[in-house]
Amino acid sequence: MMHVHRNELAILGAGLVGAAALAFLPLVTGGFWLTLSVNIMLYAALCTAWTLFSGPTHLVSLASAAFFGVGTYSVAILIDVLPFPALLLVAAVSGSLLAILVGLATLRLSGAYFVIFTLGLAELIGQLVTWVQTNFGGKIGLYVFTDFSEAHLYWMLLGLTFVIFMSGWLINRSRLGFALRIIGNDETVARHIGVDTALSRIVLFAVSGAFIAVAGAIMAPRYAYITPQAAFNPMVSFTVVIMALLGGTRRLWGPLVGVIPFTLVMDFISGRFPNHTPIVVGIAFLAIVYLLPDGVTGRLEAMFRRSIGQRDMPALPDPTPSGENP
């Protein structure tokens, strides 16, 4: 049976209150700030879904753009056939199936090999979609027309982010979460105690891929005209990794610490120096890896532990006899 501590209930309660408060945001603001809030909520969902897999396994996945693009194209292809809620389900299934296929081929790999493969995945799928549309559709790109406003997109992304958090909370307290923590600490030990490392990774990779694909499906109406270059943009993968690493992946909520400031910075940079955005992303990635390897939350936790240790440390006796000067 799953045991829930009081502090965990307090965190869940605070999360519910926070989500309810955020739901009122579109009612009190609009225009630029609402658009910026949609971007923040989008990356909150993407980074949290990414951390579901990469956090416990310590495998850096650059496949977010591939899952995002698959979800976007699921809506673009079937928008005239199915209602939008059904399209979200199609996107989730498509993202999970892609993650399973990729997982079966690559999750036995580790380190740089896995990173390189996932890096090329979005480009590979984007080129395939371009080839199919050019040779069989006569044009590149598809129209997506809906009645959704920025407020609708914000509410859907907020709901998705909440579902991702709840899923992560449940997974962390399940046998799958326990197995993944062992794999992340020492994969050899995990194998020796009978953990199916490949299956555990594939299952969680599929869950993460499904959520990212749903985020792509939700954002499809914003693009209106979807092209492979926009849907499978590799910058999505890099931005997600940078935000997650900046916030820290030790906790599921850690990436949120990196999402808000980095989104604000990127909005400023892209608006004033659009041609230099990739350079800024590259510099940010290097700086985070070298200066904040555990992210902001990891650094704060380390400082807190040191302060607690110093406060609890007993005072050393004075080696100088009483009344004598050193």
Side-chain angles (χ1 to χ4, degrees), residues 29-310:
T29 187
F32 168 78
W33 292 109
L34 180 57
T35 299
L36 186 62
S37 298
V38 171
N39 293 336
I40 291 174
M41 199 56 62
L42 168 65
Y43 281 106
L46 293 177
C47 292
T48 308
W50 183 89
T51 305
L52 275 180
F53 170 76
S54 294
T57 62
H58 304 308
L59 289 173
V60 177
S61 169
L62 294 176
S64 298
F67 299 137
F68 187 88
V70 166
T72 303
Y73 260 89
S74 296
V75 173
I77 294 172
L78 299 173
I79 186 66
D80 296 327
V81 180
L82 297 174
F84 198 77
L87 294 177
L88 298 182
L89 179 60
V90 171
V93 173
S94 301
S96 61
L97 289 177
L98 176 61
I100 291 172
L101 291 176
V102 174
L104 290 174
T106 65
L107 285 181
R108 295 182 184 275
L109 303 175
S110 61
Y113 300 102
F114 177 75
V115 177
I116 292 171
F117 187 93
T118 55
L119 173 61
L121 184 63
E123 182 65 22
L124 172 63
I125 299 177
Q127 291 297 329
L128 288 175
V129 172
T130 301
W131 181 83
V132 170
Q133 289 188 325
T134 302
N135 290 275
F136 298 98
K139 63 178 182 178
I140 298 177
L142 295 170
Y143 287 99
V144 175
F145 295 119
T146 66
D147 296 328
F148 294 139
S149 64
E150 290 284 274
H152 294 120
L153 301 183
Y154 175 85
W155 282 320
M156 286 189 285
L157 290 170
L158 175 62
L160 175 63
T161 304
F162 182 77
V163 170
I164 295 172
F165 267 100
M166 290 303 301
S167 301
W169 187 82
L170 293 172
I171 289 172
N172 286 337
R173 285 149 186 79
S174 67
R175 295 184 63 182
L176 175 60
F178 180 69
L180 286 165
R181 285 193 294 272
I182 297 175
I183 294 171
N185 292 328
D186 195 320
E187 188 170 342
T188 303
V189 172
R191 291 197 187 99
H192 280 303
I193 64 175
V195 175
D196 191 334
T197 58
L199 179 61
S200 299
R201 287 176 173 179
I202 290 172
V203 169
L204 198 56
F205 199 44
V207 173
S208 176
F211 282 133
I212 294 174
V214 172
I218 292 174
M219 291 299 293
R222 184 192 240 191
Y223 298 134
Y225 187 72
I226 297 174
T227 63
Q229 290 76 18
F232 298 96
N233 187 352
M235 285 295 293
V236 172
S237 294
F238 287 109
T239 305
V240 167
V241 172
I242 291 172
M243 288 181 175
L245 294 180
L246 175 61
T249 58
R250 292 176 179 268
R251 300 287 185 270
L252 189 62
W253 51 266
L256 295 181
V257 179
V259 166
I260 297 176
F262 201 80
T263 302
L264 295 174
V265 171
M266 288 304 298
D267 180 78
F268 177 84
I269 296 297
S270 60
R272 290 162 177 78
F273 310 101
N275 296 327
H276 299 84
T277 303
I279 298 176
V280 174
V281 171
I283 294 174
F285 183 78
L286 294 175
I288 292 168
V289 169
Y290 281 101
L291 301 178
L292 292 171
D294 295 325
V296 173
T297 56
R299 176 64 63 86
L300 292 176
E301 288 180 5
M303 293 171 60
F304 178 75
R305 286 195 298 267
R306 283 197 298 268
S307 65
I308 293 296
Q310 292 175 357

